[in-house]
Amino acid sequence: MYPSRFQYEAPTTVEAAIDLLHRGGGEAKVLAGGQSLIPMMKLRFASPELLVDINHIPGLDYHRVDPDGSIHIGALCRHVDLEQSTTLADAQPVLAAVAPLVADPIVRTRGTLVGSLCHADPQGDWASAMVALDGQVVAQGPQGRRSIPVADFVAGPFQNVLAHDEVAVEAVVPAPAGTPAGGYLKLERRIGDFATAGVAVALDLVNGSVSRAGVGLTGVGSSTIAATDAAQALVGAALSPDAINRAADLAAEAAQPRSDHRGSASYKRQVVRTFVVRILTNVLESDERAA
Amino acid sequence: MTLDEVKIGGLGASRKRVEDNRFIRGTGNYVDDIVLPDMLHMEILRSPLAHARITSIDTSKAWEIPGVHLVLTGEMMAARNLAWMPTLSYDTQAVLATDKVRFQGQEVACVIADDPYTAKDACEAIVVDYEPLAPIVNPEQALAPDAPLIRDDKEGQADNVIFDWEVGDREATERAFAEADHVSTLDLHYPRSHPSPIEACGSIADFDRSTSKLTVYMTTQAPHIIRAAVALVAELPEHMIRIISPDLGGGFGNKVPVYPGYVASILASILLERPVKWIEDKSGNLISTGFGRDVYLKGELALRKDGKILGVRMHTDSDHGAFFADAQPSKFKIGLMHSTFACYDVGAAHLTARGVYTNKAPGGVAYRCSFRVTEAMFFQERMVQAAADELGIDQAEIRRMNFVRDDDFPHRTPFGFLTDSGQYGKCLEVGLEAVGYADFARQKEEARRRGRLLGIGISTMTEPLGAGNSREYDILGIKMFDSAELRVHTSGKAILRTGAKTQGQGHETTWGQIVAHELGIPAEDIIVEEGDTDTAPFGMGTYASRSTPVAGAAVSMVARKIRAKARKLAAHLLEVSEEDIEWELGRFYVRSAPDRGVTIQECAMAAYTNVPDGMEPGLENTAYYDPPNLTWPFACYIATVEVDPETGVWDVLNLVAVDDCGVRINPMIVEGQIMGGLTEAFAMASMQFITFDADGNCVGSNYMDYLLPTAWETPGFELHEVVTPCPHHPIGAKGVGECATVGGPAAFVNAVMDAISHTGVRNIDMPLLPDRVYEALSTGRDVSGAPPVKTDES
Amino acid sequence: MTSLFSEISPEPAADVPVRRITVTVNGQRRSADVEPRLLLAHLLRQAFRLTGTHTGCDTTNCGACTVLYDGQPVKSCTMLAVQADGHEVTTVEGLAGASELHPVQEGFRDEHGLQCGFCTPGMMLAAKALLDRNPDPTEDEVRWALSGNLCRCTGYQNIVKSVLWAADKMRGPDTGGGGDRHDEEQP
């Protein structure tokens, strides 16, 4: 398989990249990891006129935890960096749980978290985690920077809200209001398969009580789903089997799956429900063990 | 002193593979690695629709693209009488579509250009107008009274039925069912699947006008058959065609048929007088080349209440796609489906088989099996398991009770095959012991009390391998022999060529071992070459686990011819009469004076330097081997699994394999074959399927949707062996490459069914994807047919 | 493109934008003029004639085209040749030293870790990357690290053994390794 012809530019500053995108007038695409874009170009599902390769822009490959506890992930931070990061493992269990489950180990050496968010695949893993964590995407355009909550950033299947001359330069996870807990589970038929269903649950715990909660669902709707009712059902009390079951039911209700060759809609709801229970039960049990 | 056979790399040596030296350095030579001067590149434009009339094809924009040399359409092929080609099953297949397209992915046009990128650009510039027709995507639709006619190109074809065939004794079977205490019935679907070697198909055709010779480098498992087919299709004389099959990146049956891409690249090279390379992309491979399976079964067993099988009745409906191109050389319409129940002593059996056309790719290749044997054994072992459950009989006991006994060989099966040898009961016992069968029942009960679902599944089978004796087989009228040619040089080193074609099985290693066994020449002194029709003796290629049973036997026989001549040379050198000569490995000696002897190497030197009067110099020969029968290996596979009741996900806890493939030439390679086969069995049972939506769109046209297991999902395997030498093979070997793929799937499925037996569910059709297992668990109902596609629940 | 695939017209068509790139391949600096759409796998195979890098699928699944890019395993059919400009690429041809094989290559031969050989270069490079990072992996860690590479022949069990063999060999005799530890576990 061979891509169509395109122009290629490799700017060395974000500003230059923005300028190129601006001139591209909507027919340009940003190339970061390329692990979704290049296959689509090979299959000729995508035929951009211009590729703006941002890999030559220095200083975008970072991930760090700021003193206030917020996490910042640059546009060129690869999945593998997050998978192997001890910083992340300590700071944010949900992101740490997602990292090794993205695609396959070779794809993870090139692909990026920010790129995955931009690709806005309803079966993308990172978006669910970011939605659960109230994460944001920082976009930079000719008028400067703006922060967009991931829940708003993903506009639909393979659609984001970036203007054609904006570059997503960073993803941000706000500081936790307490001890972060949670996890990510996905059902995939084999490594590298898209999710049949995936669930991200992110909690902040203060003295054993849930001070904040977020639930993001993968692959069970036309885009990433924020199961806000399920999350709300958890806030303000300690985790209990009853609360867990209620949240699981609400998450399953929030899912909008379609029946396809990965399973029926009701099956996918069942998986969502099961995974919410499993993640929260695990949190509950570790909490009890710690106590 | 007698040579140590294992030390010289003879029979039984786990000799490291000779071919690995190039593969681990990246210097293997696959078709796509070959570059010829002035070579052009071909890409194929495929139909996006499953069934449509072509109203027009406009190629003008494609011709305008710089770098494009030729655009081929069906019309241009038709002008040269090449729009259609014969198939190996005596049907016809479109090379490039003229009237209609009959499956999604069918070849419509080809572009030949300076490079494949440009060729692809030009394919995109071709405009085809289609008038969509109703697609037929399963046998039920194909057989409906008002079904559209798929093959309206064929005179006299009034419906979509390809064949309606029967075998066995109908009346005796009816009597058995009338006398039965219990009749067990089971409807099954063996889903459509694809062999899918990682390397797709490809060819480089190189027609030389000055010599009129056509050389084709090709991904083929059967170069000589291809030469015969090309001679037929292209109307070229055989001696002007040279087919070279270089290293193959796997085959598994996918690389047996003749595909339109090969034919188009040949015509393009003849027209352009330049080499033309065609390398198929993965989607093209999955969507258009020979699939395997896709058979629906209605099975019935007549049983005595103690579990004794009195009769077997089966009906199959098989989906062959748009062209009957089954790459199977038996004289039976549904291949060797009637080898089913060969390991059981059943009284009577009857099989009816109907094949139909549908709007899918043609094929029915023997995907790592001997022509529908995989379906036959799967159906058998699922039916036996279901019967055991219904009668409340232990699943090991029902098999034990019905096996053909060790002293009952050769055994005539009710369908007429003659099985050669085996120790079926022993294999089963070895497997049960290894898996801890007795204790597993206790573990299972204990687990169930804690809400965990464990299951154990057995699959036992014998299958006919090594196509085949000329009573039952031919290809285009050619007998299914195979051949070997051995040239021993002056120093006693040798070159061996066979008509087989390795594609990962390690012929370059094992053939040398057979020669070492027969002649005592160290295996490392023998170089093996295959795959070039100008140099190799005529052979029928490698598939159906036939290499060792047929070509391997030819290697033995040619070495024995060499030994017979060497014996005369030894008599001459030792100045005694031939009758006074004895043979031990690698050496002739005088019976009365064992110290007086000559080595095989000394005989080789004499063949060129010191032959007796009247003897022709040289030490080389050729053997053609027409096997007297098929070889019948036996295997027992036992899987244990745990099913997650909340998600339907199941994990393999243990897989025990007991293979009896007769004498093992290279145990390391045999074990490698078994593990590879088990992995494909696991893949079939768990995830690997190709299905179609109602419009005939293929789901599974790339590796995102066509799921092959990775190292992570694939379980570990525990291998055991039993050896029953084949009584009619020169070295007692039987085929092995396919046993695990054939027998393995039922072990996994039976294990999952055992784990959920409390629900009353009798069957989940493969693949046992988590959602299907969960559906069975939650509804208590069977889950049948291919996985549904885009069927939104109301 | 044209210049890479055809010897007959070495000059690319005039309207095709071409870039000159320089890549360090297996320690050697090599240059080529490429169209931006040329895939890295094709650069290696066509321009540099390093045909040990195979292409198996179109969708970044099979990993037959895996090479090391600045030491990290990547699927070279899912990168552009221009992206290799100024970078280091190691292919299977660069695994062995002048006189001896890399332990991973030895391991694959010793433990029968290959059959048709098509996935082998990608498997070995993925394995090398793992061992460079983790010299003493468990069986599960090997299976996990190789789960981006598909094999149709072996069933993976011997591939895993090959990598563990290589790990033993690379750690040397002082660490209790030495190459045959895993042989003893299997009959």
Side-chain angles (χ1 to χ4, degrees), chain B residues 24 151 179 325 433 526 608 638 675 710 728 737 751 786:
Chain B
I24 57 175
R151 293 302 299 276
E179 290 162 12
E433 172 72 24
I526 297 142
Y608 299 91
I638 307 179
M675 289 192 280
T710 75
H728 57 79

Side-chain angles (χ1 to χ4, degrees), chain B residues 482-487 494-500 511 526-532 534-537 551 554-555 558 621-623:
Chain B
D482 223 296
S483 58
E485 176 206 86
L486 182 60
R487 296 182 184 178
I495 179 165
L496 177 82
R497 295 191 172 103
T498 85
W511 290 168
I526 297 142
I527 188 167
V528 176
E529 278 187 8
E530 291 179 340
D532 183 342
D534 266 12
T535 58
V555 173
V558 76
N621 218 317
T622 305

